Amino acid sequence: MPARFTVTTPIYYVNDVPHIGHAYNEVATDVLARWHRMRGDDTWMLTGTDEHGQKIMRTAVANGTTPQEWTDRLVESAWKPQLELLDIQNDDFIRTTSERHKAGVRIFLERLKETGYIYHGEFEGQYCVGCEEYKTPNDLVPGTGEFEGQQVCAIHSRPTETVREANYFFKLSEFDDRLLALYDERPDYVQPEHVRNEVRQFVKQGLTDLSISRNTFDWGIKVPWDESHVVYVWFEALLNYITAIGYGVDEEQFERRWPATHIVGKDIARFHAVIWPAMQMAAGLPISDHVFGHGWLLVGGEKMSKSKATGIEPRQITDVFGVDAFRYYFMSAIAFGSDGSFSWEDLDARYHSELANGLGNLASRVIAMVHKYFGGTVPEAAPDAEIAELAERAVATAEAAIDRFAIDEAVDAAMGIVERLNGYITEQAPWVLAKDEAQQERLAAVLASNVHGIGTAAILLAPVMPTTAQALWAAVGGEGAVTAQPIHEAHRWQGTRTVTTVPPLFPRIEQAQPAT
């Protein structure tokens, strides 16, 4: 029976159009899903949109429309098209305004109420509408500029609002010890380590009960037993991971797909690694497999943000460099789990050195030589032991890296083959060997080694650059879809032994940064 791999992005808040910070998460999650599909795992990738809450209601009003019309417009005109643009192969798309989500949320709430984990009480706190979250004093920082002299949200750099409400509460405070035990028993549950340490420290300070309803506005899912309240947006949004796969409605589908691995930004890791597992414990559900909190994309030293004019839309990049180069750059240039800075100069440099001059030039040179010296037929010669062993090591290294969510290291392993083959061609000089009849066997081995290495690299790169990998795969004689190849055995591939002409994979770009 194949292994299960259910992986999710966060559901994105649709108060505005997406930027490359969202795209970074989508591509990373897609790469993991594609990799596991190529392993033969029973894979399911979920993404979607978070459409309730005070911020969306205010944004819709400011734009002269209703919240539902606002979210419908953005989902259809921006969020779903971005998935298509970036070649994301998600299996499902959940909207929190969908009936299936609402139905699952109501079932979950009723179950928590029956087990005694929900009660009615009063609360006052400092609320950030941007985060849709109550803030502790540790979450606030001194304001600057127009907010100098005030405490502001560390993420949105705006003052919080004092909110006093009589709401329904979830007994989060009862889960301190169970959460700490979870982190100890399953140290790989929250990753990377620095995120796990931050989460653990937060829980050790003691948890307070969580207000899970609002009664000062009505844009949300009604509390089943009290329709004067709507469910707190974060509480119901987290439930998308189970409502999308049939929680309370389709138990067979739910058991097949759950638990899941959640790929989120580090700024929302606390919700996913504290509140969410406590909710699962309260409902008697198996705990998620993993929560991975990746770093931020930085532009000019600041986190990507539309409000700070640092939000770059993916199409600004893909229109210049192409989709596969976009995917490659963000998966290779930044250590997955750490913050990373984006610059047009770095993207341009890596595009030309690693893709155009590295991978593209290697493929065109090798295929041209197979045509020139062997009439387009890959010679019947075993690859050199060094290249064969290199390919096998690269596969093992990449596989281990994916199991640690180190996507950048998996890409490095694949590109390590490319880098070595370029050096190997220079060392072996097949154009010199071709001039000596006595060196024909050696020439055959050199070119066979290169073709084999390129094919292995194509399979390993398929989750990252699917279109480019398919073109490479077909050009070196690979049969069928490269994504149908077992990735854990990439070094064992066998093709038709006939090469074709490879199209220009990475044309030279004269102007990297679009005019502003």
Side-chain angles (χ1 to χ4, degrees), residues 11 16 137 143 151 191 216 219 242 247 346 349 401 408 415 432 459:
I11 49 173
D16 205 342
Q151 292 292 99
Q191 298 184 53
T216 54
W219 179 238
I242 59 175
Y247 171 77
D346 186 48
D408 56 298
M415 293 301 288
V432 175
I459 295 172

Side-chain angles (χ1 to χ4, degrees), residues 67-227:
Q68 189 65 65
E69 290 170 343
W70 177 250
T71 56
D72 286 348
R73 184 191 311 163
L74 278 172
V75 167
E76 296 304 324
S77 67
W79 291 90
K80 284 185 176 180
Q82 174 157 296
L83 296 173
E84 297 174 12
L85 171 70
L86 298 176
D87 202 2
I88 306 297
Q89 279 192 335
N90 54 298
D91 297 284
D92 199 359
F93 187 97
I94 185 78
R95 296 181 61 181
T96 58
T97 53
S98 66
E99 287 305 317
R100 61 174 172 151
H101 177 69
K102 294 175 184 178
V105 169
R106 294 187 189 104
I107 292 169
F108 187 90
L109 281 170
E110 292 283 13
R111 290 184 180 174
L112 253 59
K113 186 170 183 286
E114 289 169 6
T115 54
Y117 284 108
I118 292 179
Y119 67 92
H120 189 267
E122 294 188 356
F123 182 77
E124 178 179 310
Q126 296 303 307
Y127 193 75
C128 173
V129 175
C131 293
E132 294 282 10
E133 179 188 9
Y134 282 105
K135 296 294 182 178
T136 68
N138 290 337
D139 296 324
L140 304 178
V141 297
T144 58
E146 63 176 308
F147 303 123
E148 189 170 354
Q150 302 179 61
Q151 292 292 99
V152 299
C153 169
I155 295 174
H156 288 91
S157 303
R158 299 185 66 84
T160 54
E161 300 178 9
T162 301
V163 174
R164 183 184 297 107
E165 292 181 301
N167 296 331
Y168 289 96
F169 286 77
F170 170 55
K171 294 181 180 179
L172 183 63
S173 60
E174 294 191 8
F175 292 90
D176 305 52
D177 292 342
R178 290 175 66 180
L179 287 169
L180 291 172
L182 170 65
Y183 307 147
D184 289 341
E185 292 163 9
R186 291 171 50 187
D188 66 340
Y189 169 63
V190 183
Q191 298 184 53
E193 185 178 5
H194 67 270
V195 174
R196 178 169 67 253
N197 291 340
E198 290 172 8
V199 165
R200 202 178 193 289
Q201 189 59 36
F202 176 76
V203 175
K204 282 181 70 176
Q205 293 171 2
L207 299 175
T208 58
D209 291 347
L210 178 69
S211 173
I212 63 163
S213 73
R214 301 287 183 268
N215 62 9
T216 54
F217 59 93
D218 63 359
W219 179 238
I221 298 174
K222 303 289 187 183
V223 172
W225 58 87
D226 184 351
E227 293 199 352

Side-chain angles (χ1 to χ4, degrees), residues 18-20 23-24 26-27 78 81-88 312-330 342 344 347-348 351 355 464-465 467 505-507 509 511-514:
H19 54 59
I20 60 172
Y24 177 62
E26 290 169 337
V27 171
Q82 174 157 296
L83 296 173
E84 297 174 12
L85 171 70
L86 298 176
D87 202 2
I88 306 297
I312 299 168
E313 293 183 24
R315 192 174 291 279
Q316 292 176 263
I317 297 174
T318 60
D319 281 352
V320 178
F321 293 94
V323 172
D324 273 5
F326 178 102
R327 292 171 60 102
Y328 171 83
Y329 174 75
F330 285 107
F342 167 79
W344 289 97
L347 171 56
D348 182 62
Y351 174 90
L355 295 180
V464 181
M465 297 191 290
T467 301
L505 298 176
F506 304 102
I509 294 167
Q511 181 180 336
Q513 186 168 354

Side-chain angles (χ1 to χ4, degrees), residues 79 112 134 137 144 177 204 280 291 305 395 398 411 421 434 450 489:
W79 291 90
L112 253 59
Y134 282 105
T144 58
D177 292 342
K204 282 181 70 176
Q280 294 167 62
V291 174
S305 168
V395 171
V411 178
L421 289 180
N450 274 281
E489 296 182 345

